[in-house]
Amino acid sequence: MNFEELLPILAQSTGETLQMVAMATLLTAVFGLPLGVLLVTADRGGLTPAPAFKAVLGAVVNIGRSLPFIVLMVAVIPFTRLVTGTTIGTVAAVVPLTLGAVPFFARLVETALRGVDREVVEAAQAMGARRLAIVGKVLLPESLPGLVAGLTVTIVALIGYSAMAGAIGGGGLGDLAVRYGYQRFDTGVMIITVVLLIVIVQFVQSLGDLVARRLDKK
Amino acid sequence: MIELRQLRKVYANGVVALDGVDLSVREGEILGVLGRSGAGKSTLLRCVNLLERPTSGTVTVDGRELSALGRGELRAARQRIGMIHQHFALLSSRTVAGNAAFPLEIAGVPRDQRAARVRELLELVGLADKAAAVPAQLSGGQKQRVGIARALAAGPSVLLSDEATSALDPATTQSILALLRRLNTELGLTILLITHEMQVVKSICDSVAIMSDGRIEEAGRITDLIATPGAALTREIFPLPEPAPPGTVTVTFAGQADEPVMSSLVRKFDVDVNVLGGSLEELRGAPVGRLRVRIEGKGAADALGYLTGLGLLVEVA
Ligand SMILES: Nc1ncnc2c1ncn2[C@@H]1O[C@H](COP(=O)(O)OP(=O)(O)OP(=O)(O)O)[C@@H](O)[C@H]1O
Ligand SMILES: [Mg+2]
């Protein structure tokens, strides 16, 4: 295949990858952040102690974390159909991507929040702050650099997952690599997609590092 | 202002941190709690604003029994109790002004009023020029000033302090203590502080409570305790070999320390005074001393009577 034929296909695949990752990232943040907060506040001695709830939540998160993505993707096909009405295409791929990334990100959020000095949380309690204010004005702002770093790692993981999702009909660069590079033995296409994925990952990681560093006032 | 009654705290692991503590802190005074590590000082302080729930007993601050309040009422009551911390506990992501504004946000003070109040507070603690700095850019003493500004933001009547100067060098400690003393006199702020440094007690406290093993061993005004025979505080402030050897006399002076008492004793009663040890300290600026002597000679008994008559505390071993 010559370059002129390849270019629009590459552009489309890159667009699909970015779309999948962007949508999945947004949803992961929306669901993963509160989940991570709950993992911390539900601790015995946390802001809203609920040890039994926390144990269940932790177990669910661990199950989500231990399933290989490829298995998860297949396992949630009925759910994907329920949510999106289809099981192939970019939008359908967002469902397993999100389900795979939420537990991962939630653990990273948990770790970041645990890094907040206990004395600072207590100081806020001593001032008469509501629990919601402690989460919103202390825990989250104080751990923001860690949260950004966690989100960056999550996006990078999502880019990797998205290539896998692509292979079973999600589109994107992974799909391209498999269709042309593997099935048609077109090594050139394979190399180009790999390089593109590397560039995207590098860009995301550098940007994330930069933002996290800017936010860190310590 | 602060009344603790029969306070007991047993931690989940069975440690009895408070074992029936009764303590009153009078309005407008600075009371220092002294005691060895593990005596229960921090537990005591944390029970005052109920960061730690006492197992039994009552906590009353400014006429309200906090231990009987519901969650919402307790939050409101806590806004009237300032607290400063050993490691400052500032929000590292906020500026100095943002930290001072924090309790005001919690109390729902509108933004424009917050700004004016924050300016006033930073002025008060001498940090007006650091409003835009973040805590990481400040020295320890400056951080504690921010902590103090924050603690005062909502206009509390009481300030709690757990080892607030322990992380600071001696000179910075003195400047923070001077600030606390000034706030005490200018704002009428009642201060309950925990310390393991005798220097803190000597320079700013009106009263003291000595704790050991979860109990208050001794509590009262420093001037009263100094005048009480056998007070543990006196032994802490003026360390002399204890128990006193037989035949010695230990004299504690308050105020009269600048008078030549001993030399007039020698002249008047024709006795020999052999000084075995002693020291002179300043308590809130006033000289107080303790001297251990052996008085020998025919007039020894009369000499002791003379010393007692002067209003000195005379302890004969
Ligand atoms: N959260 C806790 N759980 C169990 N035991 C505790 C807890 N906090 C304190 N203790 C124990 O209670 C006792 C009193 O502790 P506390 O911190 O009040 O002492 P302290 O006088 O402040 O000591 P220090 O001078 O070292 O700060 C100690 O034996 C301590 O080990
Ligand atoms: Mg302590």
Side-chain angles (χ1 to χ4, degrees):
Chain A
M1 193 163 39
N2 66 35
F3 193 67
E4 255 143 71
E5 285 167 14
L6 184 61
L7 201 59
I9 300 175
L10 264 180
Q12 195 201 340
S13 298
T14 307
E16 285 168 357
T17 291
L18 294 181
Q19 195 191 351
M20 269 189 284
V21 171
M23 284 167 65
T25 299
L26 191 71
L27 289 170
T28 299
V30 167
F31 292 109
L33 192 66
L35 190 56
V37 170
L38 282 179
L39 282 172
V40 175
T41 59
D43 266 348
R44 197 185 302 279
L47 288 177
T48 55
F53 172 73
K54 148 103 203 210
V56 172
L57 207 61
V60 170
V61 166
N62 284 343
I63 292 169
R65 292 267 283 115
S66 50
L67 280 184
F69 182 67
I70 196 97
V71 174
L72 177 96
M73 206 164 50
V74 177
V76 300
I77 282 176
F79 180 68
T80 305
R81 198 195 311 275
L82 189 74
V83 176
T84 63
T86 173
T87 59
I88 50 168
T90 315
V91 174
V94 170
V95 175
L97 284 177
T98 304
L99 286 174
V102 163
F104 180 71
F105 182 56
R107 284 292 183 207
L108 296 177
V109 170
E110 183 190 3
T111 308
L113 295 186
R114 287 196 194 287
V116 176
D117 189 354
R118 223 194 126 66
E119 220 186 33
V120 178
V121 175
E122 267 188 11
Q125 283 176 317
M127 285 175 223
R130 289 171 176 279
R131 286 172 291 187
L132 205 59
I134 294 177
V135 172
K137 288 177 184 286
V138 179
L139 287 179
L140 294 179
E142 286 293 291
S143 59
L144 200 53
L147 294 176
V148 168
L151 193 64
T152 306
V153 173
T154 306
I155 296 174
V156 169
L158 276 171
I159 294 170
Y161 292 164
S162 81
M164 248 189 272
I168 66 155
L173 288 169
D175 183 34
L176 186 68
V178 172
R179 272 191 290 135
Y180 287 79
Y182 181 67
Q183 290 164 358
R184 297 192 195 173
F185 305 105
D186 192 333
T187 316
V189 174
M190 177 73 100
I191 290 173
I192 291 173
T193 54
V194 168
V195 168
L196 263 177
L197 283 170
I198 291 174
V199 168
I200 294 173
V201 167
Q202 284 292 344
F203 175 75
V204 168
Q205 189 65 56
S206 310
L207 186 67
D209 288 348
L210 182 76
V211 174
R213 221 177 310 122
R214 279 282 164 82
L215 290 172
D216 195 353
K217 306 278 175 53
K218 280 200 177 150
Chain B
M1 185 55 93
I2 302 175
E3 297 286 337
L4 308 179
R5 288 288 158 261
Q6 278 308 305
L7 220 52
R8 260 180 77 78
K9 174 70 192 184
V10 185
Y11 282 110
N13 59 4
V15 173
V16 181
L18 298 180
D19 189 10
V21 167
D22 286 299
L23 184 67
S24 302
V25 186
R26 280 174 286 261
E27 181 163 3
E29 80 170 344
I30 301 184
L31 186 143
V33 179
L34 275 170
R36 308 216 178 295
S37 188
K41 307 182 296 295
S42 298
T43 306
L44 175 74
L45 194 79
R46 293 160 53 80
C47 278
V48 174
N49 58 7
L50 262 57
L51 278 180
E52 212 68 75
R53 279 266 165 197
T55 310
S56 62
T58 59
V59 178
T60 310
V61 178
D62 209 358
R64 300 198 74 185
E65 192 191 324
L66 300 192
S67 35
L69 297 183
R71 202 179 255 284
E73 292 171 306
L74 175 60
R75 272 204 307 271
R78 278 176 171 173
Q79 291 176 9
R80 315 269 308 132
I81 304 174
M83 190 173 197
I84 52 177
H85 310 260
Q86 181 172 4
H87 301 293
F88 322 122
L90 300 177
L91 293 159
S92 60
S93 56
R94 288 186 174 218
T95 60
V96 166
N99 270 285
F102 188 67
L104 301 172
E105 288 174 29
I106 288 170
V109 176
R111 183 182 294 269
D112 47 334
Q113 291 175 34
R114 283 204 303 258
R117 175 77 179 132
V118 165
R119 225 170 296 126
E120 204 176 281
L121 286 163
L122 295 185
E123 204 72 60
L124 185 67
V125 299
L127 279 183
D129 56 329
K130 294 283 183 204
V134 292
Q137 298 163 333
L138 303 179
S139 70
Q142 289 171 329
K143 283 182 195 163
Q144 197 54 288
R145 284 171 189 271
V146 180
I148 292 171
R150 181 177 70 175
L152 296 178
S157 46
V158 168
L159 182 70
L160 307 177
S161 157
D162 193 350
E163 306 270 10
T165 58
S166 300
L168 305 174
D169 63 58
T172 314
T173 294
Q174 279 311 319
S175 80
I176 294 292
L177 293 179
L179 174 61
L180 290 178
R181 175 44 81 183
R182 207 182 89 218
L183 297 171
N184 165 259
T185 45
E186 285 178 11
L187 309 175
L189 195 65
T190 305
I191 303 179
L192 173 57
L193 63 82
I194 304 277
T195 185
H196 64 263
E197 296 162 294
M198 207 57 214
Q199 188 52 42
V200 173
V201 171
K202 286 191 282 195
S203 51
I204 68 166
C205 290
D206 302 296
S207 298
V208 67
I210 299 178
M211 278 192 87
S212 78
D213 293 332
R215 294 167 185 274
I216 304 262
E217 245 180 24
E218 180 173 298
R221 288 201 174 83
I222 292 180
T223 43
D224 294 346
L225 289 176
I226 294 284
T228 307
L233 178 72
T234 317
R235 291 199 302 269
E236 290 284 340
I237 297 183
F238 308 101
L240 284 171
E242 302 289 347
T248 61
V249 175
T250 310
V251 184
T252 308
F253 315 71
Q256 314 92 327
D258 45 353
E259 288 169 30
V261 176
M262 287 302 157
S263 58
S264 59
L265 203 66
V266 173
R267 264 184 281 112
K268 282 197 174 121
F269 300 97
D270 190 23
V271 288
D272 288 321
V273 175
N274 183 11
V275 176
L276 303 172
S279 59
L280 186 64
E281 293 284 348
E282 290 220 333
L283 295 184
R284 300 216 22 222
V288 178
R290 193 157 179 251
L291 201 58
R292 178 161 299 157
V293 294
R294 204 181 281 282
I295 303 178
E296 278 155 358
K298 287 198 312 297
D302 293 336
L304 288 179
Y306 169 76
L307 288 175
T308 313
L310 285 176
L312 305 182
L313 173 64
V314 180
E315 292 165 277
V316 182

